[in-house]
């Protein structure tokens, strides 16, 4: 995934529909992709809560709530594994 293209497509498509906390979380998680190795062939990534807390400066509950909004908007998949220690998610490609 080209992170810069993903971010540009995110702002083009979702700039009014997503609130601030989920936007910050989404940008933080997708920014980590170049540094992470996918967990499996489905392209899912392990997102550790302590890293997300440090990057977003939000509480665990705020991050969990932001995950829910991102899932509802279909910006992330695999969020059934969210916990206070992190989540396993994949990111649908937003650009062609």
């Amino acid at each position: 995934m080209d992170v810069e293209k993903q971010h540009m497509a995110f702002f083009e498509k979702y700039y009014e529909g997503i609130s601030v906390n989920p936007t910050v979380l989404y940008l933080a998680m997708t920014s980590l992709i170049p540094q992470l190795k996918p967990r499996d062939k489905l392209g899912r990534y392990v997102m550790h809560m302590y890293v997300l807390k440090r990057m977003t400066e939000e509480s665990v509950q705020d991050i969990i709530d932001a995950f829910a909004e991102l899932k509802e908007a279909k910006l992330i998949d695999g969020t059934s594994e969210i916990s206070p220690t992190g989540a396993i998610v994949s990111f649908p490609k937003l650009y062609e």
Side-chain angles (χ1 to χ4, degrees):
M1 172 188 306
D2 183 319
V3 174
E4 185 176 328
K5 285 183 181 179
Q6 185 81 353
H7 287 176
M8 288 174 29
F10 173 81
F11 283 114
E12 287 173 9
K13 296 177 182 183
Y14 296 95
Y15 70 99
E16 290 182 348
I18 304 295
S19 57
V20 174
N21 286 352
T23 296
V24 170
L25 179 62
Y26 184 82
L27 296 174
M29 289 189 302
T30 52
S31 294
L32 289 172
I33 289 175
Q35 302 165 19
L36 300 174
K37 188 175 186 177
R39 176 182 181 200
D40 54 29
K41 292 180 181 179
L42 299 174
R44 298 185 309 168
Y45 296 88
V46 174
M47 298 290 167
H48 296 285
M49 188 63 74
Y50 70 91
V51 174
L52 298 176
K53 278 183 62 175
R54 189 174 61 223
M55 289 181 77
T56 64
E57 297 183 355
E58 297 293 337
S59 70
V60 171
Q61 188 58 53
D62 286 343
I63 292 171
I64 290 171
D65 293 345
F67 271 118
E69 188 172 332
L70 292 172
K71 182 180 180 183
E72 186 175 313
K74 298 187 184 336
L75 286 166
I76 58 175
D77 295 321
T79 56
S80 61
E81 298 181 53
I82 291 175
S83 75
T85 60
I88 298 171
V89 298
S90 62
F91 302 92
K93 194 163 99 174
L94 301 178
Y95 59 93
E96 298 300 320

